[in-house]
Every structure is written in structure tokens, then in C-alpha cells.
Amino acid sequence: MSNFLQKPRNKAILSVYLFFVCGSVLSAVLNPKMSIGEKLFILCFNIFSATLFAFLIYLLLNKLMKDEDRKHPADPEKNGINQVIWKKYKKPLILFVYFGSLFAVCAALLPMPIYTVAEKLVILSIAIIFITICCILAYKVTNKMLQK
């Protein structure tokens, strides 16, 4: 464990993971409207998803940074890590953000009982258009910034 915490990026991943898990535990335990079964399901689902997400981020960052850790800090190529990451992984990153956003909107909107099906479809279509425009703009801005 001490070897794991020597790298600042691992400390950051662990702190974000612990913050999410503590928030999940508190929100599940302190919600009086849910039954015990619902609380346990929400708690297990949130902890499992946080663990999976943290593990994937850990693998991705350590795979990308493996070669960079071996270089000397004064090496001029070390400053180009953002460009290397963007060239290799721009499509998966944008698709991950796009589909993650769509999933979050659908997961939040579809179970809401206060809206009819037609209202949900209108809100969902507006959200899809907004998310698509934002992802396209983010892609173009990041491309311009990193190709200078």
C-alpha cells in the first residue's frame, strides 16, 4: 500500500474514491424514506460502481503514465503527455463522456413519475441535443488547444 501511495495521481484517485464512498454511505443511511432493502441496494450499487470506476481510472492513468515515469523531469518530451494522450485516446474519451452523460440523463429522467411519457421524450431530446453540441464543442476546443 505504501508503494501505491507514492504517486500523486494514485493519492488523487483514492481521495476521490473515498469521498464518493463516504457520500454514498451517508446519503443511503440518512434517507428516511427508503426501506432497508433499498438502502442496501443503493449502498452496494454505489460502492461497486465507485470501485469499478476508480479501478478503470487507475489502470488507464498508470498505463498512460508508465513511460512518462521513467523519463527525467527535465526532458522536454515529458511536457507533451497531454498531446500524446489526446492523439491516442481522443475518440474513447469523447465517447465515454458522451455516452456517460446520456446514461446519467436517462437514469435521472426516466424513473421520474411527475412527467408523462411525452414530456420525458421532449426533455430527453433536448438533453441529447445539448449533450451532443457540448461534446462537439469540447472536442474542437481541445483539438485546437493541443495542436498548437
Side-chain angles (χ1 to χ4, degrees):
M1 185 72 171
S2 63
N3 189 21
F4 174 77
L5 292 177
Q6 286 179 352
K7 297 178 182 174
R9 64 181 171 264
N10 293 343
K11 290 179 188 176
I13 292 169
L14 184 64
S15 63
V16 169
Y17 170 74
L18 290 175
F19 176 75
F20 184 75
V21 167
C22 290
S24 297
V25 168
L26 287 175
S27 66
V29 171
L30 296 178
N31 192 347
K33 294 181 180 179
M34 291 193 309
S35 68
I36 296 294
E38 290 173 332
K39 287 181 184 183
L40 285 175
F41 175 75
I42 294 294
L43 189 64
C44 292
F45 179 76
N46 284 345
I47 290 175
F48 176 75
S49 62
T51 305
L52 183 65
F53 184 70
F55 182 69
L56 290 175
I57 294 297
Y58 170 76
L59 287 179
L60 180 70
L61 281 179
N62 283 322
K63 180 182 177 198
L64 292 175
M65 301 291 196
K66 181 174 58 175
D67 296 331
E68 293 298 315
D69 288 339
R70 293 188 209 132
K71 291 183 180 178
H72 189 271
D75 192 355
E77 292 179 9
K78 187 160 181 148
N79 295 332
I81 185 65
N82 294 335
Q83 292 174 346
V84 171
I85 291 172
W86 185 247
K87 283 181 185 177
K88 279 185 170 180
Y89 300 103
K90 64 182 165 187
K91 288 181 184 175
L93 286 172
I94 291 293
L95 290 174
F96 177 73
V97 170
Y98 182 72
F99 288 118
S101 302
L102 289 179
F103 176 75
V105 168
C106 290
L109 182 67
L110 294 180
M112 288 185 175
I114 61 172
Y115 296 119
T116 64
V117 175
E119 291 172 332
K120 287 180 185 180
L121 288 175
V122 168
I123 295 171
L124 192 61
S125 62
I126 292 171
I128 289 172
I129 291 169
F130 181 74
I131 290 170
T132 304
I133 290 171
C134 288
C135 283
I136 290 170
L137 289 177
Y139 178 80
K140 287 183 178 183
V141 167
T142 309
N143 249 356
K144 268 190 177 178
M145 285 173 42
L146 290 177
Q147 289 183 358
K148 284 184 178 181

